[in-house]
Coordinates of all heavy atoms in Angstrom, one line a residue:
N6 N -10.6 18.3 -8.6 CA -10.4 17.2 -7.7 C -10.9 15.9 -8.3 O -10.3 14.9 -8.1 CB -11.2 17.5 -6.4 CG -10.5 18.5 -5.5 OD1 -9.3 18.8 -5.7 ND2 -11.2 19.1 -4.5
T7 N -12.0 16.0 -9.0 CA -12.5 14.8 -9.7 C -11.5 14.3 -10.7 O -11.3 13.1 -10.9 CB -13.9 15.1 -10.3 OG1 -14.8 15.5 -9.3 CG2 -14.5 13.8 -10.9
Q8 N -11.0 15.3 -11.5 CA -10.0 14.9 -12.6 C -8.7 14.3 -11.9 O -8.2 13.3 -12.4 CB -9.7 16.2 -13.4 CG -10.7 16.6 -14.4 CD -10.3 17.8 -15.1 OE1 -9.3 18.5 -14.8 NE2 -11.1 18.2 -16.1
I9 N -8.3 15.0 -10.8 CA -7.1 14.6 -10.1 C -7.4 13.2 -9.6 O -6.5 12.2 -9.7 CB -6.7 15.5 -9.0 CG1 -6.1 16.8 -9.7 CG2 -5.6 14.9 -8.1 CD1 -5.8 17.9 -8.7
E10 N -8.5 13.0 -8.9 CA -8.9 11.7 -8.4 C -9.0 10.7 -9.5 O -8.5 9.5 -9.3 CB -10.2 11.8 -7.6 CG -10.5 10.6 -6.8 CD -11.8 10.8 -6.0 OE1 -12.0 11.8 -5.4 OE2 -12.6 9.8 -6.0
G11 N -9.5 11.0 -10.6 CA -9.6 10.1 -11.7 C -8.2 9.7 -12.2 O -7.9 8.5 -12.5
K12 N -7.3 10.7 -12.4 CA -5.9 10.4 -12.8 C -5.2 9.5 -11.8 O -4.5 8.6 -12.1 CB -5.2 11.7 -13.0 CG -5.6 12.5 -14.2 CD -4.7 13.7 -14.4 CE -5.1 14.5 -15.7 NZ -4.3 15.7 -15.8
V13 N -5.4 9.9 -10.5 CA -4.8 9.1 -9.4 C -5.3 7.6 -9.5 O -4.5 6.7 -9.4 CB -5.1 9.7 -8.0 CG1 -4.7 8.7 -6.9 CG2 -4.3 11.0 -7.9
Q14 N -6.6 7.5 -9.6 CA -7.2 6.2 -9.7 C -6.7 5.4 -10.9 O -6.4 4.2 -10.9 CB -8.8 6.2 -9.7 CG -9.4 6.7 -8.4 CD -9.1 5.7 -7.3 OE1 -9.0 4.5 -7.5 NE2 -8.8 6.3 -6.1
R15 N -6.6 6.1 -12.1 CA -6.1 5.5 -13.3 C -4.7 5.1 -13.1 O -4.3 4.0 -13.4 CB -6.3 6.5 -14.5 CG -6.0 5.8 -15.8 CD -6.2 6.8 -17.0 NE -5.2 7.9 -16.8 CZ -5.5 9.2 -17.0 NH1 -6.7 9.5 -17.5 NH2 -4.7 10.1 -16.8
R16 N -3.8 6.0 -12.5 CA -2.4 5.7 -12.2 C -2.3 4.5 -11.2 O -1.5 3.6 -11.4 CB -1.7 6.9 -11.7 CG -1.4 8.0 -12.7 CD -0.3 7.6 -13.6 NE -0.1 8.6 -14.6 CZ 1.0 9.1 -14.9 NH1 2.1 8.6 -14.4 NH2 1.1 10.0 -15.8
L17 N -3.1 4.5 -10.2 CA -3.1 3.4 -9.3 C -3.5 2.1 -9.9 O -2.9 1.1 -9.7 CB -4.1 3.7 -8.1 CG -3.6 4.7 -7.0 CD1 -4.7 5.0 -6.0 CD2 -2.3 4.2 -6.4
G18 N -4.5 2.2 -10.8 CA -4.9 1.0 -11.6 C -3.7 0.5 -12.5 O -3.4 -0.7 -12.6
E19 N -3.0 1.5 -13.1 CA -1.9 1.1 -14.0 C -0.8 0.5 -13.1 O -0.2 -0.5 -13.5 CB -1.4 2.4 -14.7 CG -2.3 2.9 -15.8 CD -1.8 4.2 -16.4 OE1 -0.8 4.7 -16.0 OE2 -2.5 4.7 -17.3
Y20 N -0.5 1.1 -11.9 CA 0.5 0.6 -11.1 C 0.1 -0.8 -10.6 O 1.0 -1.7 -10.5 CB 0.7 1.5 -9.9 CG 1.4 2.8 -10.2 CD1 1.1 4.0 -9.5 CD2 2.4 2.9 -11.1 CE1 1.7 5.2 -9.8 CE2 3.1 4.1 -11.4 CZ 2.7 5.2 -10.7 OH 3.3 6.4 -11.0
A21 N -1.1 -1.0 -10.3 CA -1.6 -2.3 -9.8 C -1.4 -3.3 -10.9 O -1.0 -4.5 -10.7 CB -3.1 -2.2 -9.4
K22 N -1.8 -2.9 -12.2 CA -1.6 -3.8 -13.3 C -0.2 -4.1 -13.5 O 0.2 -5.3 -13.8 CB -2.2 -3.2 -14.6 CG -3.7 -3.3 -14.7 CD -4.1 -2.7 -16.1 CE -5.6 -2.7 -16.2 NZ -6.0 -2.1 -17.5
D23 N 0.7 -3.1 -13.5 CA 2.1 -3.3 -13.6 C 2.7 -4.2 -12.5 O 3.5 -5.1 -12.8 CB 2.8 -1.9 -13.6 CG 4.3 -2.0 -13.9 OD1 4.6 -2.7 -14.9 OD2 5.1 -1.4 -13.2
L24 N 2.2 -3.9 -11.3 CA 2.7 -4.7 -10.2 C 2.2 -6.2 -10.4 O 3.0 -7.1 -10.1 CB 2.1 -4.2 -8.9 CG 2.5 -4.9 -7.6 CD1 4.1 -4.8 -7.4 CD2 1.8 -4.3 -6.4
E25 N 1.0 -6.4 -10.8 CA 0.5 -7.8 -11.0 C 1.3 -8.4 -12.1 O 1.6 -9.6 -12.1 CB -1.0 -7.7 -11.3 CG -1.7 -9.0 -11.3 CD -1.6 -9.7 -10.0 OE1 -1.6 -9.1 -8.9 OE2 -1.4 -11.0 -10.0
E26 N 1.6 -7.7 -13.2 CA 2.4 -8.2 -14.3 C 3.8 -8.6 -13.8 O 4.3 -9.7 -14.2 CB 2.4 -7.2 -15.5 CG 3.2 -7.7 -16.7 CD 2.7 -8.9 -17.4 OE1 1.5 -9.2 -17.2 OE2 3.4 -9.6 -18.0
R27 N 4.4 -7.8 -13.0 CA 5.7 -8.1 -12.5 C 5.6 -9.3 -11.6 O 6.5 -10.2 -11.7 CB 6.2 -6.9 -11.7 CG 6.7 -5.8 -12.6 CD 7.3 -4.7 -11.7 NE 7.7 -3.6 -12.6 CZ 8.4 -2.5 -12.1 NH1 8.6 -2.4 -10.8 NH2 8.7 -1.5 -12.9
R28 N 4.6 -9.4 -10.8 CA 4.4 -10.6 -9.9 C 4.3 -11.9 -10.8 O 4.9 -12.9 -10.5 CB 3.2 -10.5 -9.0 CG 3.4 -9.6 -7.9 CD 2.1 -9.5 -7.0 NE 2.2 -8.6 -5.9 CZ 1.2 -8.0 -5.3 NH1 0.0 -8.3 -5.6 NH2 1.5 -7.2 -4.3
R29 N 3.5 -11.8 -11.8 CA 3.3 -12.9 -12.7 C 4.6 -13.3 -13.4 O 5.0 -14.5 -13.4 CB 2.2 -12.6 -13.8 CG 1.8 -13.7 -14.7 CD 1.1 -13.3 -15.9 NE 1.8 -12.4 -16.8 CZ 2.8 -12.8 -17.6 NH1 3.2 -14.1 -17.6 NH2 3.4 -12.0 -18.4
Q30 N 5.4 -12.3 -13.9 CA 6.7 -12.6 -14.5 C 7.6 -13.2 -13.5 O 8.4 -14.1 -13.8 CB 7.2 -11.3 -15.1 CG 6.5 -10.8 -16.3 CD 7.1 -9.5 -16.8 OE1 7.9 -8.9 -16.2 NE2 6.6 -9.1 -18.0
L31 N 7.7 -12.7 -12.3 CA 8.6 -13.2 -11.2 C 8.2 -14.7 -10.9 O 9.0 -15.5 -10.7 CB 8.6 -12.4 -10.0 CG 9.4 -11.1 -10.1 CD1 9.2 -10.2 -8.8 CD2 10.9 -11.4 -10.2
A32 N 6.8 -14.9 -10.7 CA 6.4 -16.2 -10.4 C 6.8 -17.2 -11.6 O 7.2 -18.3 -11.3 CB 4.9 -16.2 -10.2
E33 N 6.6 -16.7 -12.8 CA 6.9 -17.5 -14.0 C 8.4 -17.8 -14.0 O 8.9 -18.9 -14.3 CB 6.5 -16.8 -15.3 CG 6.6 -17.7 -16.5 CD 6.1 -16.9 -17.7 OE1 5.0 -16.5 -17.7 OE2 6.9 -16.8 -18.7
Q34 N 9.2 -16.8 -13.7 CA 10.7 -17.0 -13.6 C 11.1 -17.9 -12.5 O 11.9 -18.8 -12.7 CB 11.4 -15.6 -13.4 CG 12.9 -15.7 -13.4 CD 13.5 -14.3 -13.3 OE1 12.8 -13.3 -13.1 NE2 14.8 -14.3 -13.2

């Protein structure tokens, strides 16, 4: 559960970073 939760948190962080990068790119565009 801890490993799964870590992976989920890591994936959520990656998704958040990806989402923020997309927002930045869209704002720049």
Side-chain angles (χ1 to χ4, degrees):
N6 285 343
T7 305
Q8 285 177 351
I9 290 172
E10 190 176 317
K12 286 181 180 180
V13 167
Q14 290 300 322
R15 190 180 57 220
R16 289 283 176 135
L17 284 174
E19 289 173 1
Y20 289 145
K22 282 183 182 178
D23 186 48
L24 182 61
E25 191 59 38
E26 179 63 22
R27 286 182 180 185
R28 282 182 183 158
R29 187 192 62 75
Q30 287 176 353
L31 282 173
E33 189 177 304
Q34 183 179 357

